[in-house]
Amino acid sequence: QLQASGGGLVQPGGSLKLSCAAAERTFTFGTMGWFRQTPGKEREFVAAFRWDGSSTNYADSVKNRFTISRDRAKNMAFLQMNSLKPEDTAVYYCAATTSRLITSSRSNSRLYDYWGQGTQVTVSS
């Protein structure tokens, strides 16, 4: 249902922009989020927002560095990542649900019904 892209290798301090597209342009989101995962660890919340634009929230580890946005006409979401650090290295996943999740629930990956295939982000010199 979702297709994530835009990952790659970047040096510390650099930037990347991830994209997430719905396979069907008519799919209606309630909430969309980004998560990341490294080998042997739980999937970690990064950022999420209500598709209607009413609110956005970020993990503390990425605040003021990452920005989540959307293009409603194209049914796409983006994650702009600036000032990247080696600890940001992970496979990044976009996720969506038709539910309009409240802020405190958006970090719970089990509440998302649709997932992209993941895109690798490597931050290394």
Side-chain angles (χ1 to χ4, degrees), residues 6-121:
L9 173 64
V10 64
Q11 292 186 343
S15 298
L16 278 177
K17 186 174 184 178
L18 306 184
S19 300
C20 180
E24 298 179 10
R25 292 279 296 271
T26 57
F27 187 79
T28 301
F29 302 125
T31 307
M32 175 167 273
W34 288 93
F35 292 78
R36 65 188 182 186
Q37 191 170 24
T38 54
K41 292 189 176 182
E42 295 285 324
R43 194 163 291 187
E44 176 189 21
F45 171 74
V46 175
F49 63 94
R50 287 261 192 93
W51 190 249
D52 61 10
S54 57
S55 66
T56 304
N57 57 304
Y58 298 90
D60 289 342
S61 59
V62 306
K63 275 181 184 176
N64 302 316
R65 298 191 298 122
F66 290 11
T67 303
I68 193 170
S69 61
R70 75 195 190 287
D71 183 328
R72 297 185 72 173
K74 296 182 179 179
N75 234 20
M76 292 184 68
F78 306 96
L79 184 67
Q80 177 67 47
M81 305 185 294
N82 299 328
S83 302
L84 282 162
K85 304 175 182 180
E87 50 263 44
D88 294 318
T89 296
V91 177
Y92 283 71
Y93 298 89
C94 60
T97 172
T98 54
S99 300
R100 297 173 67 197
L101 299 178
I102 59 175
T103 301
S104 59
S105 296
R106 293 177 200 156
S107 61
N108 186 345
S109 61
R110 290 172 292 182
L111 298 179
Y112 292 81
D113 304 307
Y114 306 98
W115 290 84
Q117 80 282 13
T119 184
Q120 175 71 46
V121 172

